[in-house]
Amino acid sequence: MRTIITFIIVFGVLVIVHEFGHFFFAKRAGILVREFSIGMGPKLLAHMGKDGTTYTLRLLPIGGYVRMAGLEDEETELNPGTPLSVELTSDNKVQRINVSKKIQLPNSIPLELVEADLTNTLTLTGYINGDERKAMTYAVEHDATVIEESGTEVRIAPKDVQFQSAKIGQRILTNFAGPMNNFLLTILLFIIMAFVQGGVPNYDTNQIGQVQADSPAAKAGIKSNAEILTINHQKVSNWDDLTSEIIKSPGKKVPMTIKQGGQQKKITVTPRTVESNGQKSGQIGIQAYMKTGLADKFAYGFTQTGNMFVQIFKALGGLFTGFSLNKLGGPVMMYKMSSEAASQGIITVISLMAFLSVNLGIVNLLPIPAFDGGKIVLNLIEAVRGKPLDPEKEGMITMAGFVFIMVLMILVTWNDIQRFFF
């Protein structure tokens, strides 16, 4: 249960923060966000805000999404012959359209649809009570709503509030905002982690931090804040010098020179043996020295995020030089990592969330159709050409990217299942 809750929180926060980036900048650009959903699947609650966005809470607590006018495949198809009902204003303009069988509008007029244009002319024509002798054409209000078959009520999407009507720079920023939010979240999470753990590890010194009780280091007489001068007769100047010698000496006696209490002394430590993924390594139970300054804690958010960028780009480069599904991970991998993090405490969970957040941001910026990066590339092509691509061609490119991602996700997920459960 702890693993499931951790997975839901981690995955949910990452996706919602990502989608909120798109939501916020779409609003600033004048693009109508028809729906902002927390969760997926069947709707539990819905509320239409004064801003025209319907906020929904859905059954499956994994992620969320935004529906921007003119950008997503519309769930509501008003085809000729569709039975519906309309609610009118005092001046006979349509203010609500109901195509759902789950909801009844008491003061509405039942129609069999002949045609509707809710994008340009904002008109709707239908036969009253299905009587083909009584066709009526109504003007539709700009901010009218439609109740979809699922029962969710959303605004209609006139041309002027659609995604493509925004300026090219605004569209690029809206597409970039999701990954940008993930990067900002990563910085914030590392800052929080620095405060929770009481400081920032300083790897550029030979001074150590805390020593675990009953550890090999404690039994050898090493105390917190001691300086490690030499190990295996090699001079130590930073954390990497120290740990590299210890890691390769499991179960072996390691001579050291330390300085503590203003005095130098020689000791011998025997690292305990730790096995991970079939590899044995040594540990002596010490932590890196912590910098506790306020500026250090805030700077940690930026430096660690930068380090993550470097590591991820190196990993992406490795995919091109030697592709393997084992280098990728999907929801199963995330669940496995959540399980391990949940068992190790809040700091590990925060670290995992930061790692996944920056990954989500970078991967979404890859120039693959259906990803934010692919959409930005199409925006840039439009800016250079001075006109957008043909909608049919753009749709085909996006669909090809979507199919590629779905096939890859299926392969990655199956590979993860094989790795972790068989």
Side-chain angles (χ1 to χ4, degrees):
M1 181 58 68
R2 182 171 57 182
T3 296
I4 294 172
I5 293 173
T6 301
F7 174 75
I8 290 173
I9 292 174
V10 169
F11 190 72
V13 168
L14 296 185
V15 176
I16 291 171
V17 166
H18 180 96
E19 296 299 339
F20 183 78
H22 295 311
F23 169 83
F24 180 79
F25 282 93
K27 289 282 191 181
R28 287 179 63 88
I31 301 166
L32 172 64
V33 178
R34 303 184 75 191
E35 181 183 359
F36 186 105
S37 174
I38 297 177
M40 309 291 283
K43 178 189 66 177
L44 298 177
L45 298 171
H47 170 72
M48 176 170 285
K50 294 180 179 180
D51 57 356
T53 298
T54 298
Y55 299 89
T56 57
L57 178 66
R58 296 183 178 270
L59 179 63
L60 302 177
I62 47 174
Y65 60 86
V66 295
R67 288 175 58 191
M68 284 183 267
L71 190 61
E72 77 290 332
D73 293 329
E74 295 297 333
E75 292 184 11
T76 306
E77 293 186 11
L78 297 182
N79 298 316
T82 299
L84 51 83
S85 61
V86 296
E87 192 176 86
L88 305 179
T89 63
S90 57
D91 54 354
N92 285 331
K93 286 187 176 181
V94 175
Q95 65 178 1
R96 297 175 85 189
I97 304 167
N98 181 22
V99 298
S100 175
K101 296 178 181 178
K102 300 178 181 179
I103 296 176
Q104 299 295 322
L105 300 180
N107 298 317
S108 62
I109 300 173
L111 296 175
E112 179 184 318
L113 185 67
V114 175
E115 62 178 354
D117 184 348
L118 304 181
T119 302
N120 297 303
T121 63
L122 301 185
T123 56
L124 183 150
T125 301
Y127 299 122
I128 298 177
N129 291 314
D131 187 348
E132 296 184 3
R133 296 170 300 175
K134 297 182 180 179
M136 286 289 294
T137 297
Y138 298 96
V140 180
E141 285 195 320
H142 182 275
D143 295 336
T145 62
V146 55
I147 303 173
E148 300 172 328
E149 290 184 9
S150 65
T152 302
E153 186 170 9
V154 295
R155 281 265 187 98
I156 64 171
K159 187 71 174 178
D160 63 303
V161 295
Q162 290 191 9
F163 182 82
Q164 290 296 336
S165 296
K167 295 178 180 178
I168 188 70
Q170 294 173 320
R171 280 182 275 153
I172 291 174
L173 185 56
T174 299
N175 283 325
F176 177 70
M180 179 186 71
N181 260 22
N182 285 125
F183 301 146
L184 294 175
L185 175 62
T186 303
I187 293 170
L188 177 62
L189 286 170
F190 278 126
I191 291 173
I192 292 172
M193 194 167 82
F195 277 91
V196 171
Q197 66 189 12
V200 177
N202 184 1
Y203 299 116
D204 295 325
T205 178
N206 62 353
Q207 186 175 10
I208 64 170
Q210 296 295 315
V211 177
Q212 295 175 2
D214 297 323
S215 65
K219 292 176 181 178
I222 301 176
K223 298 180 180 179
S224 299
N225 301 322
E227 293 180 58
I228 310 299
L229 304 179
T230 67
I231 180 169
N232 272 338
H233 309 294
Q234 301 293 322
K235 185 177 180 180
V236 173
S237 60
N238 56 49
W239 182 256
D240 287 339
D241 293 342
L242 172 61
T243 54
S244 62
E245 289 294 327
I246 293 172
I247 287 171
K248 66 185 183 183
S249 305
K252 300 177 182 179
K253 292 183 178 181
V254 178
M256 286 187 182
T257 304
I258 66 172
K259 182 180 179 180
Q260 60 186 20
Q263 295 182 340
Q264 290 188 22
K265 63 178 179 177
K266 296 182 182 296
I267 62 171
T268 300
V269 182
T270 304
R272 61 188 170 212
T273 302
V274 178
E275 189 169 344
S276 177
N277 297 323
Q279 298 290 323
K280 293 182 179 180
S281 60
Q283 289 184 1
I284 64 172
I286 59 173
Q287 296 179 354
Y289 181 76
M290 304 290 281
K291 296 185 289 185
T292 57
L294 188 63
D296 293 320
K297 293 175 182 176
F298 278 99
Y300 186 69
F302 296 90
T303 57
Q304 278 299 97
T305 301
N307 291 336
M308 284 285 186
F309 265 87
V310 173
Q311 294 175 26
I312 293 168
F313 279 114
K314 284 182 179 178
L316 288 173
L319 289 176
F320 292 100
T321 57
F323 179 81
S324 170
L325 287 176
N326 289 333
K327 295 180 179 180
L328 301 173
V332 176
M333 171 71 85
M334 284 185 62
Y335 183 84
K336 179 70 174 176
M337 295 171 71
S338 297
S339 175
E340 294 174 356
S343 66
Q344 296 177 33
I346 185 64
I347 292 178
T348 307
V349 172
I350 294 172
S351 179
L352 170 65
M353 191 182 296
F355 170 75
L356 293 175
S357 183
V358 72
N359 266 274
L360 180 62
I362 290 175
V363 169
N364 261 280
L365 284 179
L366 294 177
I368 299 174
F371 277 10
D372 294 325
K375 296 173 184 177
I376 291 172
V377 169
L378 293 176
N379 294 150
L380 294 174
I381 292 173
E382 177 182 341
V384 172
R385 294 176 75 238
K387 60 180 180 179
L389 290 176
D390 180 82
E392 187 174 338
K393 292 180 180 178
E394 184 174 338
M396 291 175 62
I397 293 171
T398 301
M399 180 57 67
F402 179 76
V403 171
F404 169 75
I405 294 303
M406 289 304 298
V407 170
L408 184 61
M409 280 295 297
I410 291 171
L411 292 174
V412 168
T413 301
W414 177 248
N415 186 62
D416 285 347
I417 292 172
Q418 294 285 91
R419 278 195 292 172
F420 299 124
F421 300 106
F422 296 100

